């Protein structure tokens, strides 16, 4: 999948736009209320949310499996004179951070990549490990309400190949199942961020 995103990001330096996502802005407001200072972003892509968080005083650490995305991000943060920890990294491995290091772990549509159930459970376990005892896990995923759900070629359970992308969609029940061991869900909201339908998930570490 990283090869696909390398191609996308090579052809468009702002594939998702330059402005932060609505979800990032919503999360930032909550982060301030909870006194969050250090966050990890999984799958930062071209960095529209990453740069927003770092520009607003958060200590941001971000990873992505696209070499093109990381290269472009380095150029952006140099131009904007922004300081953050940016790494090319495949998240299916052990996260390269100490246990209890972060106040929050954030991702926007990252889990919609082609992850197996086992890989997702491992990712959530690793997220729990790097979070502090009262750490937050905030993420968004494409939902079963999305207009493209059940469209395209079915690859695996809830994974469909659409326009060259292998996209995983989630039901509320699946989300609860993946989080049950390591996290307590504070809130789960339905949202539309054109053209996709999302579940916005807000969790506390157990």
């Amino acid at each position: 999948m990283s090869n696909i995103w390398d191609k996308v990001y090579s052809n468009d330096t702002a594939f998702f736009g330059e402005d932060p996502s609505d979800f990032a802005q919503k999360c930032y407001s909550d982060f301030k209320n909870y006194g969050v200072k250090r966050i990890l972003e999984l799958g930062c892509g071209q960095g529209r949310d990453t740069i927003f968080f770092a520009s607003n005083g958060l200590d941001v650490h971000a990873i992505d499996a696209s070499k093109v995305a990381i290269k472009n991000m380095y150029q952006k943060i140099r131009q904007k004179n922004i300081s953050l920890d940016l790494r090319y990294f495949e998240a299916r491995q052990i996260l390269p951070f100490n246990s209890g290091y972060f106040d929050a772990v954030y991702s926007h549509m990252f889990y919609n990549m082609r992850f197996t159930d086992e890989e997702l459970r491992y990712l959530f376990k690793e997220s729990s490990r790097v979070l502090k005892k009262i750490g937050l896990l905030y993420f968004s995923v494409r939902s079963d309400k999305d207009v493209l759900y059940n469209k395209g070629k079915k690859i695996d359970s809830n994974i469909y190949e659409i326009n060259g992308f292998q996209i995983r969609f989630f039901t509320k029940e699946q989300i609860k199942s993946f989080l049950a061991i390591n996290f307590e869900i504070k809130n789960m909201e339905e949202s539309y961020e054109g053209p996709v339908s999302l579940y916005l998930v807000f969790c506390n570490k157990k």
Side-chain angles (χ1 to χ4, degrees), residues 111 121 124 137 139 173-185 188 201-204 206:
Y111 298 116
R121 290 191 177 91
F124 287 123
L137 175 72
F139 65 93
E173 291 71 25
Q174 288 171 333
I175 293 170
K176 291 175 183 177
S177 174
F178 287 128
L179 295 171
I181 295 175
N182 299 294
F183 293 96
E184 178 183 358
I185 298 174
M188 191 186 309
V201 189
F202 306 87
C203 307
N204 288 322
K206 282 188 175 179

Side-chain angles (χ1 to χ4, degrees), residues 55 57 77 103 107:
S55 299
I77 62 177
D103 299 308
S107 66

Side-chain angles (χ1 to χ4, degrees), residues 3-106:
N3 291 334
I4 295 175
W5 286 109
D6 280 346
K7 183 178 180 180
V8 170
Y9 294 148
S10 294
N11 293 331
D12 189 341
T13 58
F15 182 72
F16 295 104
E18 296 285 358
D19 296 329
S21 66
D22 293 342
F23 181 56
Q25 296 177 70
K26 187 181 186 71
C27 289
Y28 177 69
S29 178
D30 224 31
F31 289 161
K32 288 196 298 183
N33 292 336
Y34 282 96
V36 167
K37 295 179 180 176
R38 181 184 293 141
I39 71 168
L40 169 63
E41 181 179 1
L42 303 177
C44 62
Q46 293 173 306
R48 60 176 181 150
D49 292 347
T50 323
I51 290 171
F52 167 71
F53 289 136
S55 299
N56 283 278
L58 293 179
D59 177 11
V60 180
H61 301 248
I63 64 173
D64 200 278
S66 167
K67 291 181 179 179
V68 172
I70 295 299
K71 180 181 178 181
N72 292 343
M73 273 282 288
Y74 274 120
Q75 293 175 348
K76 288 181 180 180
I77 62 177
R78 281 196 296 267
Q79 291 170 356
K80 295 177 180 292
N81 195 28
I82 294 171
S83 177
L84 59 91
D85 175 22
L86 182 63
R87 307 188 192 192
Y88 165 70
F89 188 78
E90 171 54 67
R92 290 176 172 87
Q93 308 171 57
I94 297 173
L95 293 174
F97 304 101
N98 293 332
S99 298
Y101 190 64
F102 295 102
D103 299 308
V105 173
Y106 167 89

